[in-house]
Amino acid sequence: MATRPTWQGYLRLSLVSCPVALYTATSRTGDVSFNMLHKQTHNRIRMIPTDPETGPVERSDIVKGYEIEKGRYVVITDEEIKNVRLSTTKTLDIERFVDEDEIDRLYWNDPYFLAPDGEMAVEAYTVIREAMARSGKIALGRLVMHQRERLMALEPRDLGILAYSLRSNREVKNPADVFDDIPDVKPDKAMVDIATQIIKQQAGPFDPSKFNDRYEEALRALIKEKEKGHTVGVAEQPKEAEVIDLMEALRRSLGQSGGKAPARKASSGSTRKAAAEKAADPPKIAASQRKPAAKKAPAKKPAAKKAPARKSA
C-alpha cells in the first residue's frame, strides 16, 4: 500500500489480536490552496514566529503552553506529553457491538481503512472480520490518535474493515438549542402532497461521480485562464430566490419534473370572500367597448326560475 498509515497498533477482540494499520479513506491533495505572496515581487511570504516584546523567535525556543487563565500558562514539554500513555495508544480494543441505527448520524465523523499489518496478521484479522459480518453489528473501540482518544466504529467492507471516528459527546451540540425555536406549524396537506410527488420524481440511486465540487472546478478554470494571461471578467451573479406564493412554487417545481399538480380546493371562507368582492366591485368596461343603451322592449312574462346549481363535492 503506497499511502502512509495514520496509526499502527493492534486490533483486539477479547483474547484474539493482530497487528493492523489505519489509513485515511479520503484525500485533500486535489484541493485548491493559495499561498500568500508579496503584492509587487510575488515572493512567497514567510511567517516568522515573533514575541511581542523581544521580536523574532527561533523555532527551537518555542514550547507548548496551556492557558489556565488570562495570560497565565502551564508549560508542557513534548517528553511529558509522550509519557501520557493509555492502553489505547497502541491497541484498538473492541468493547461493544451495537446496531448501526443506534448511532446518531451527528456522531459519525471521518472514515478510515483498517487493514492487517503484515502477512502474519491476515488469519486473525479475517476471523474477526467474518465474525463481524455474520453478526451484522457495528463494533465500537477506542484508540489514541493525534493526541486524542477517539471512539471508533468498525464494520466489514469487502475484504477489509471500514473504520469511522465518532465524535465525543462533548463535541455534539444539543439539537434542541436550535430546533426548539422553530414554530410547531401544521403544513397545508395539498402542499405536502405536491412536495412528496416532487421527492418521488427526483428519487434515484446515489452516484458520487455526479456530485463534484463545482466551486473548485470554477477556481481551476480561473487559474488556467490567468495562466494563459487572459483577463477574466466578472461572472454573472446568481439570481436570488424570488419570494413567490408557496403553492405556485410547488406547482412549478412539479411541472418542471414532468408531473401534474392536483387541483387545490379553495376554503369556504376564501370562496365567500371572493364572491362578495365580485358583487361589490363588478368588472368595469372601457368606454370604447360600451354598447349604446338599447330601447326598452315591451315587458315580457317573467321567465321560469332556474333550478339551483348543485354544489360541487
Side-chain angles (χ1 to χ4, degrees):
M1 189 173 291
T3 58
R4 185 177 179 180
T6 301
W7 178 89
Q8 287 176 286
Y10 290 86
L11 174 64
R12 184 167 62 191
L13 173 62
S14 189
L15 299 178
V16 180
S17 64
C18 63
V20 291
L22 196 70
Y23 301 87
T24 56
T26 58
S27 173
R28 300 188 64 88
T29 56
D31 288 359
V32 175
S33 59
F34 297 95
N35 295 313
M36 290 189 294
L37 310 177
H38 189 277
K39 183 177 181 180
Q40 296 176 345
T41 65
H42 287 186
N43 291 329
R44 188 168 174 177
I45 301 300
R46 292 174 54 197
M47 305 304 292
I48 302 175
T50 304
D51 186 296
E53 295 181 2
T54 63
V57 178
E58 295 292 333
R59 295 279 180 182
S60 58
D61 292 332
I62 299 176
V63 295
K64 292 182 175 70
Y66 181 83
E67 188 175 28
I68 55 176
E69 60 183 50
K70 186 65 175 178
R72 187 182 171 204
Y73 299 88
V74 172
V75 176
I76 305 293
T77 66
D78 291 338
E79 191 65 28
E80 288 171 332
I81 293 175
K82 289 180 182 178
N83 290 334
V84 179
R85 292 183 179 273
L86 301 177
S87 60
T88 51
T89 302
K90 285 295 181 182
T91 303
L92 174 52
D93 199 349
I94 297 176
E95 302 176 14
R96 183 171 297 182
F97 289 88
V98 300
D99 292 328
E100 182 181 356
D101 56 7
E102 290 185 14
I103 306 175
D104 194 312
R105 286 183 180 270
L106 280 171
Y107 290 86
W108 294 94
N109 199 5
D110 296 324
Y112 296 86
F113 299 133
L114 187 68
D117 195 6
E119 294 182 3
M120 298 295 292
V122 172
E123 184 179 16
Y125 176 92
T126 303
V127 170
I128 295 173
R129 184 198 67 213
E130 289 303 307
M132 289 171 56
R134 185 176 297 181
S135 70
K137 301 280 188 179
I138 299 292
L140 298 181
R142 284 181 271 195
L143 59 78
V144 173
M145 181 170 57
H146 305 315
Q147 297 182 359
R148 285 186 57 192
E149 185 178 56
R150 300 171 186 270
L151 180 63
M152 306 296 292
L154 313 179
E155 63 175 348
R157 172 70 66 92
D158 301 327
L159 296 177
I161 294 176
L162 184 63
Y164 266 92
S165 61
L166 298 180
R167 298 180 178 92
S168 68
N169 195 44
R170 289 182 179 180
E171 292 177 280
V172 177
K173 297 180 179 180
N174 187 353
D177 294 342
V178 177
F179 294 160
D180 279 359
D181 293 335
I182 301 175
D184 186 6
V185 178
K186 188 174 182 181
D188 184 282
K189 182 180 180 301
M191 294 185 182
V192 176
D193 289 342
I194 296 176
T196 303
Q197 291 185 45
I198 296 171
I199 292 173
K200 287 181 180 179
Q201 290 170 357
Q202 294 184 355
F206 173 62
D207 183 359
S209 66
K210 303 293 184 183
F211 296 93
N212 295 323
D213 187 340
R214 295 178 295 182
Y215 183 76
E216 181 178 307
E217 291 174 352
L219 283 177
R220 292 189 180 279
L222 169 63
I223 294 169
K224 187 174 291 186
E225 290 299 312
K226 294 283 288 183
E227 185 182 8
K228 295 176 181 178
H230 297 167
T231 301
V232 181
V234 179
E236 182 180 351
Q237 295 297 318
K239 295 181 180 179
E240 295 185 3
E242 297 178 8
V243 180
I244 59 177
D245 178 72
L246 179 56
M247 174 58 84
E248 181 62 24
L250 288 167
R251 290 176 182 273
R252 289 185 190 177
S253 299
L254 188 61
Q256 290 177 358
S257 302
K260 186 176 181 181
R264 186 183 185 186
K265 294 181 180 179
S267 62
S268 58
S270 61
T271 304
R272 287 195 298 269
K273 183 178 178 182
E277 290 177 351
K278 186 175 181 181
D281 188 16
K284 298 178 180 179
I285 302 175
S288 60
Q289 293 178 335
R290 291 175 186 159
K291 295 181 180 179
K295 294 181 179 179
K296 289 184 179 181
K300 294 182 180 180
K301 293 182 180 180
K305 292 185 178 178
K306 293 182 180 180
R310 292 179 62 187
K311 295 184 179 179
S312 58

